[in-house]
Each structure stands twice: as C-alpha cells, then as structure tokens.
Amino acid sequence: MAVVWDGRVRSCPRGVPGVSRGVGKGSRVGTRGKEGNGKEGACRLRIGSWNIGTLTGKSIELSKILQKRKVNIACVQETRWAGTKVRNADGYKLWYSGVVRGKNGVGILVDRDLRESVVKEGFDEIVRSIPPTERLFIGGNFNGYIGAAAGSYGEVHGGFGLGDRNGGGTSLLDFAKAFELGIANSTFPKREEHLVTFRSLAVRTQIDYLLLRRCDRGLCKDCKVIPGETLATQHRLLVTDIDIMMKRKKRAKRMPEEWRLSTVVPLYKNKDDIQCCNVLEDG
C-alpha cells in the first residue's frame, strides 16, 4: 500500500502493494501544531503497515490498537477477505480487496478525519501519474531482506537494516532507486526488537517496509516496529511519524461553560432586566 499527499486519499487495495493518496484535516489522534484561523500548521501523521494474518474477527481489535498507537492511516496485508468493499471499523473506514476468500487480500484503514477523502485507483496508474511535487509513502510486506549494510544502495538504504540481503531485498532496493525513494525503517538506529517485523520460533527478520521520497526524508521523524501488539502472531506493526504542513479550519468559538451557568445583566437592556445565560444559544 502507499499514501500520496495531495488533497485526497486514494487507495488501491489489490494483490500487490497498493497506493493511497491523501490530505485532509489532520487527525484527532495525531500530534498537531497550534490551531490557526485557516492558516497552515504542522501536523504529525502516523502511517502504519501490518501483515495481520487475517482480518476475520479482528477488525474492532485492530481499530482499537491503531487508535491506541495513534496511527492515522494503516496499510494491512493478508486480510483473507474476498471482494472489493468499504466498511466502517470502529472509528476508521476500511477499504479492502481480495480475490479468493481465506487467501491473501490487502486493505487500508483511514481515521475519521481523513476517511471521507478516499477514492480508488490502480497502483501502476497512480505511481506513474504522481507529480514529483506530491509526497509519496509506500508500506507493505515485501518478503525481502534489504540487509544491515547499505552497500551500493546508500542513496535509498539508511544503513540501519537487519541481517543479510537476499534477492527480494535487492529487487526492493532497485525499485526504490528507480523511483527515487528511501526506506524509512533503515534510516534510524534502533534496537533489534524495533527492527524485526516478522518473528517466529525459527527466524527473526525484517520483511515489511515503509518508503518515502528521498527529498522528503526530512519530514520523517521516526520509524520503528511496535513489538508489544499481539493481534498478528508473527508480523509486527511498523509505523512512521511524518510532519506535514496543512491548513486548519477556523474553529467556531463556544460560550465558556462558566458563562453559560452564570447570571448577567445584558448590555442592551434595561439595567434591572436580569437574564440567565443558560437560556441563550451559542453565537
């Protein structure tokens, strides 16, 4: 899955990593800057990627975990749901797509502040049509090892990976190089538990990744695995924190509660005409 920041959230939940494009009003769970009167302000957007094994019986629990971890947009894999549909999921809107019930399938969850701005498009069409001025974020289970060292991929690999590189990892690095992307979860020095995205009794590996344009790496403030959530037995939740400037809507002023409950003398009435504020409506 991917996220492109341009004015709408577009999703492509298909069998390969899809694309979603987005802007919006920020998130109720994100870290925001100061509120302004329609002016631009800093908003921290948290984007996640998680291979959940199956979504059956897990949608509400998944939403609660995303809320707790302050994830605004989540790309999920292995939903194992068939069809291409949209549904509400406890404060998030879920777009999912799968061909065979009980096998594969992907989806994207968007929180309540962004969820009304989503349209669907195909992955290839979006990637090729994205202007370089728009911000692009891609997240998914790529089943490849990029390795601990950057080697000849220093422009896309931050030098903080895990293990040895394999063919799948090389393909991902070549893809990132071709589209001028960087791999966010190779950018920050982390303990191993915050690098491992897949864990079983036999192996501890890094196969899930979040990518963004190299020119936007300064917006990425952190990227790590959150190992404590157990919704999926083997894959771990991977998140990145992005600082983005966006316009704020002017917030309507409300009458303070202590004023509403008090008794005042209105300015434009006779001096002895006392009124109680609790009969007044907000202006």
Side-chain angles (χ1 to χ4, degrees), residues 20-267:
S20 43
R21 304 168 74 118
V23 299
K25 301 169 283 186
S27 170
R28 58 190 168 81
V29 294
T31 303
R32 302 184 181 186
K34 294 181 179 180
E35 296 290 341
N37 295 332
K39 298 180 180 179
E40 287 191 349
C43 178
R44 180 155 294 181
L45 184 76
R46 174 165 278 190
I47 301 170
S49 179
W50 204 355
N51 184 321
I52 56 174
T54 178
L55 196 53
T56 301
K58 294 182 178 181
S59 60
I60 293 178
E61 184 181 359
L62 173 61
S63 298
K64 291 186 181 302
I65 289 173
L66 297 179
Q67 290 173 15
K68 181 176 75 172
R69 297 299 182 175
K70 300 183 176 166
V71 178
N72 308 101
I73 301 174
C75 309
V76 294
Q77 305 89 46
E78 295 293 337
T79 61
R80 301 186 187 273
W81 285 5
T84 302
K85 298 180 180 179
V86 182
R87 61 182 293 181
N88 291 319
D90 196 27
Y92 288 78
K93 183 166 281 190
L94 166 66
W95 285 259
Y96 68 90
S97 181
V99 177
V100 180
R101 184 178 298 277
K103 184 177 181 181
N104 301 328
V106 293
I108 181 169
L109 292 99
V110 181
D111 75 7
R112 72 172 76 245
D113 285 342
L114 301 177
R115 62 186 186 176
E116 299 305 325
S117 304
V118 178
V119 296
K120 294 185 180 179
E121 294 186 8
F123 177 77
D124 293 340
E125 294 86 348
I126 287 185
V127 171
R128 288 187 170 86
S129 68
I130 297 169
T133 55
E134 295 182 7
R135 297 187 175 105
L136 169 66
F137 307 95
I138 300 176
N141 173 11
F142 291 90
N143 283 316
Y145 309 151
I146 63 170
S152 61
Y153 292 96
E155 68 271 42
V156 299
H157 190 308
F160 299 104
L162 183 69
D164 298 321
R165 184 173 305 149
N166 67 0
T170 300
S171 296
L172 176 60
L173 291 166
D174 288 337
F175 166 80
K177 201 171 187 178
F179 285 94
E180 298 185 345
L181 304 172
I183 299 177
N185 46 322
S186 71
T187 304
F188 301 93
K190 298 289 182 183
R191 298 194 300 268
E192 182 176 301
E193 66 184 56
H194 292 137
L195 291 173
V196 172
T197 66
F198 178 88
R199 180 176 180 176
S200 68
L201 294 176
V203 295
R204 294 162 57 90
T205 62
Q206 183 184 49
I207 58 175
D208 303 89
Y209 302 95
L210 285 162
L211 295 80
L212 73 165
R213 292 195 194 279
R214 295 206 300 269
C215 61
D216 288 330
R217 283 184 292 192
L219 301 175
C220 184
K221 303 306 178 184
D222 195 17
C223 188
K224 63 182 179 181
V225 169
I226 299 178
E229 303 298 347
T230 58
L231 180 68
T233 57
Q234 295 180 321
H235 286 266
R236 300 293 183 257
L237 173 61
L238 174 66
V239 300
T240 184
D241 293 325
I242 307 294
D243 279 356
I244 290 181
M245 301 297 291
M246 59 179 61
K247 290 184 178 180
R248 305 296 184 191
K249 286 190 174 182
K250 186 175 181 180
R251 180 175 292 179
K253 295 182 178 179
R254 297 183 60 83
M255 179 184 292
E257 188 66 18
E258 59 269 24
W259 291 13
R260 180 180 291 280
L261 298 177
S262 65
T263 301
V264 299
V265 179
L267 293 177

